Amino acid sequence: MRVAENLNAALHGLLDDDPTAYVIGEDVLDPYGGAFKITKGLSVRFPGRVIGTPISEGALTGVAAGLALTGNTAVAEIMFGDFVALAFDQICNFASKSVSMYGSRLPLRMIVRCPSGGGRGYGPTHSQSMQKHFIGMPGLSLYEMSPFHDNREVLASMLERGEPCLFFEDKILYTRQMGQTDPMFPVRRDGELAIAEADDRPDCVIIAPGGMAHRALAAMRTLLLEDEISCRLLVPSRLYPLDVEALLPYVNGVVVVAEESTAGGTWGSEVAHLLHGRVWDRLRGPVRLVHSRDSVIPTAAHLESEVLAGESTIHHAVREALRG
């Protein structure tokens, strides 16, 4: 099953299990079924609970927040995650604050889906990774889609938190097979953490969200075959608040955090900050961060590949970290 099909099945399951659940977004109705076909079949099967909206990210997230505030479950789709910026006020000044600003905690079951990332040739305004702009907001959780995490479990985890959650879905993953990995690095799960490694005593630990996982695995293969450097990959499902305790048993002296966003106030910086505070005595040096270049994302494939963080940038960061 492809990742897109798994997510589609998860949404079908959510609407089937929860009669209060709604899906809201632009062009989510059949026969279109969303720009990436994630909502395919939902409006036919659940008429009245899949709502097509005008092109207004602020309006559709406001409606979703209102539905959640009145006890329903709401899943809002931002057609391209770049435009979640247009919904910033509704998410950060209304939805996230509504959890706790009325005198007692108010469960608010709301998921905002954000197809994100480059690698598809969509150009500067349709290829960004916006995660870093929402880190540190009280009452707001961030997740990232992964081929190693079943999306039905991930949706359930988000709703169980009882607060608005942003779900970043790297578009490059939609066509990948669930669980697809390099046989050299078998994947196992420990709660919300996916772990891939060739042996249990790696030279370096790479921490990366789901959209970067296959790029990290490709770098790990090259490092092992060409440099005899063994790495462990950690892929958390929830980015923020980060479950740093889950990472600690798997972290050794050399750590590289890889993400697709540009540098500056990022999720990777948050990971490094938390690890430095907890395991500084175990680290051989500062946590190394891998980002995309400080640039807009070009449309042309050969230029896009030069800008985005990828296998080569991770490979270089690991070698430099081990060099000290």
Side-chain angles (χ1 to χ4, degrees), residues 81-89 91-93 96-97 114 116-117 124 127-138 140-142 144 166 168 239-240 259-270 294-295 297:
D82 309 63
F83 301 114
V84 72
L86 296 166
F88 193 90
D89 186 63
I91 294 169
C92 295
N93 276 331
S96 64
K97 289 181 173 61
C114 302
S116 304
S127 305
Q128 297 166 92
S129 297
M130 303 288 283
Q131 291 88 325
K132 69 179 183 179
H133 300 292
F134 295 91
I135 289 172
M137 187 64 61
L140 182 66
S141 294
L142 277 62
E144 183 157 336
L166 297 183
F168 292 93
L239 303 185
Y240 186 87
E259 58 189 324
E260 191 174 297
S261 75
T262 54
T266 69
W267 171 74
S269 303
E270 174 73 5
D294 184 15
S295 167
I297 301 171

Side-chain angles (χ1 to χ4, degrees), residues 1 12 73 76 103 111 133 187 198 209 221 229 234 252 260:
M1 177 182 287
H12 274 272
T73 297
I111 298 170
H133 300 292
V187 177
R221 168 179 273 272
I229 294 172
L234 304 179
N252 65 8
E260 191 174 297

Side-chain angles (χ1 to χ4, degrees), residues 268-288:
S269 303
E270 174 73 5
V271 175
H273 162 69
L274 293 172
L275 290 179
H276 286 166
R278 296 299 304 275
V279 295
W280 180 254
D281 58 332
R282 284 161 49 186
L283 296 176
R284 284 173 45 185
V287 172
R288 298 285 180 128

Side-chain angles (χ1 to χ4, degrees), residues 1-18:
M1 177 182 287
R2 295 185 185 275
V3 172
E5 294 168 336
N6 179 266
L7 180 54
N8 175 261
L11 289 172
H12 274 272
L14 172 61
L15 289 174
D16 201 28
D17 294 342
D18 182 356

Side-chain angles (χ1 to χ4, degrees), residues 69 72 108 113 124 128 139 190 213 307:
L69 194 62
N72 299 287
L108 198 147
R113 295 183 39 245
Q128 297 166 92
D190 184 357
V307 166

Side-chain angles (χ1 to χ4, degrees), residues 91-111:
I91 294 169
C92 295
N93 276 331
F94 174 38
S96 64
K97 289 181 173 61
S98 293
V99 175
S100 57
M101 72 177 180
Y102 299 120
S104 61
R105 185 170 178 84
L106 178 66
L108 198 147
R109 299 188 304 276
M110 174 182 174
I111 298 170

